Amino acid sequence: MTEESGAGGIAQGMSARWRRFSGVGEHELVPQPRLSGPMPWVIAIMVALTVIAVAAGLALRNAAAATTAELRGGVTVQIVEASPEKRATQAQEAVKRLGQMPEIVAVRLVPQAELDGLIEPWLGVEAQAADKDTIPVPALIDARISGELTEARVAAIQRSLADVAPAARVDAQSRWLRPVLDAIALLQWLAIALVGLLALALAAAVLLAVRSALGTNRGTIEIVHLLGGTDVQIARVFQRTTGIDSAGGGLLGLAAALVVILFLARRFGSLGAGMVDQGALHWLDWIMLGIVPVVAVALSVLTARITVMRTLRKML
């Protein structure tokens, strides 16, 4: 046997095994129209909703992780003093004391112009200028501590500032957004539950479609069995048809979902909010979104095979 004939025989054997697995050449046993009926559209809707849910969960995860990393170790000191002179003096003394602490790695007194910009959306320019003397704005000091920020360390900083800045109030920055982060975590679990429910709905839709096709072709299937056809051969026919329908519907659903995701990303990106910007999808997230149709096809084919094999055992 020559090398060329040996390689050709291996290729033919692999081709034959693939044809047996995919059902190519056996679809004439049971007439199954491809890409017809509601099945591809149902799969497209399921895949589109799943991709959107997965994208939402990934965006929430990215936003929560980035925010947590940014606020880790952050400490805010407020000098709540009505007198502008005393407030400025205590703020300077607090900055000096914080700079002398070995655990403080960075400290910054927030400028008054920056504070005015923070409250301007709430009070407005005119109201802010009119109420500047009647509504004192606390002085803010932004500091960052090395290591883990615990309640005990926050209390120690508060005690250290008590003698030089009696009006100082020390807060951990992560404490402000703790309710928001908890809500984001809850939404992530909701996205995971939604993906699971959509997967169950997809499997149920395929199961019903395959059972309906089996009932419609019951007479033909019985004749095939009398002629020597096996359950595995019949299952391959339904696997192949379901795989084609799932692939077409999955690609359509993925395209529709990407259009929606890009539209929403553009709309949210125009807000210019920090946490929203931190929720942008990374390249690995886009790969995960592209895997969703592949998983849908695999789930559909597996559901079709199991349904056909179990139904044929009861039918014949």
Side-chain angles (χ1 to χ4, degrees):
M1 180 182 295
T2 64
E3 183 177 352
E4 290 78 4
S5 61
I10 294 175
Q12 291 177 359
M14 294 178 63
S15 176
R17 285 193 293 271
W18 166 249
R19 289 168 66 87
R20 286 196 300 270
F21 173 78
S22 61
V24 175
E26 296 174 347
H27 63 277
E28 295 86 357
L29 296 174
V30 180
Q32 284 289 311
R34 290 182 293 178
L35 293 176
S36 61
M39 178 52 59
W41 303 105
V42 171
I43 294 176
I45 294 173
M46 296 296 181
V47 169
L49 294 176
T50 303
V51 171
I52 293 173
V54 172
L58 293 174
L60 290 172
R61 183 201 63 182
N62 294 341
T67 302
T68 302
E70 184 178 345
L71 296 181
R72 185 179 293 115
V75 177
T76 298
V77 180
Q78 301 183 61
I79 308 299
V80 186
E81 173 59 51
S83 173
E85 293 78 10
K86 292 182 179 180
R87 183 167 65 246
T89 301
Q90 292 188 25
Q92 294 295 334
E93 292 296 328
V95 170
K96 187 182 301 183
R97 176 61 60 85
L98 290 171
Q100 297 172 352
M101 297 181 183
E103 66 270 22
I104 301 295
V105 296
V107 59
R108 182 178 76 97
L109 178 62
V110 180
Q112 185 62 40
E114 187 174 336
L115 292 177
D116 294 341
L118 291 175
I119 64 176
E120 180 180 334
W122 306 100
L123 298 180
V125 179
E126 297 180 358
Q128 179 181 345
D131 296 338
K132 183 173 293 186
D133 297 331
T134 58
I135 304 178
V137 179
L140 289 183
I141 301 173
D142 185 14
R144 189 159 297 276
I145 190 172
S146 61
E148 183 180 359
L149 184 61
T150 61
E151 294 294 336
R153 302 187 75 177
V154 173
I157 296 175
Q158 180 75 61
R159 290 192 299 269
S160 179
L161 296 177
D163 56 337
V164 296
R169 297 180 183 177
V170 182
D171 290 311
Q173 294 179 0
S174 59
R175 186 186 304 169
W176 300 351
L177 288 180
R178 178 54 53 189
V180 177
L181 295 177
D182 291 342
I184 289 177
L186 181 61
L187 290 175
Q188 286 182 268
W189 283 109
L190 181 61
I192 294 174
L194 181 58
V195 170
L197 291 176
L198 289 171
L200 291 177
L202 175 62
V206 173
L207 184 147
L208 294 176
V210 171
R211 283 186 176 179
S212 176
L214 285 171
T216 303
N217 297 281
R218 181 185 180 94
T220 305
I221 294 173
E222 291 177 350
I223 295 175
V224 170
H225 267 279
L226 292 176
L227 295 176
T230 63
D231 292 350
V232 175
Q233 289 178 313
I234 297 174
R236 285 174 184 157
V237 175
F238 285 92
Q239 284 178 232
R240 180 172 180 270
T241 303
T242 304
I244 294 175
D245 288 356
S246 301
L251 291 176
L252 181 61
L254 176 62
L258 291 180
V259 171
V260 174
I261 292 171
L262 293 176
F263 173 77
L264 292 177
R266 185 173 181 179
R267 298 290 293 180
F268 280 105
S270 63
L271 297 177
M275 183 172 289
V276 174
D277 293 338
Q278 292 169 347
L281 297 179
H282 307 306
W283 64 269
L284 186 59
D285 300 330
W286 291 106
I287 293 177
M288 294 181 64
L289 296 182
I291 294 176
V292 171
V294 179
V295 176
V297 172
L299 178 61
S300 301
V301 172
L302 180 62
T303 303
R305 181 178 181 85
I306 294 175
T307 303
V308 171
M309 298 298 291
R310 294 187 63 178
T311 304
L312 289 179
R313 291 192 187 100
K314 298 177 181 180
M315 181 186 299
L316 304 173

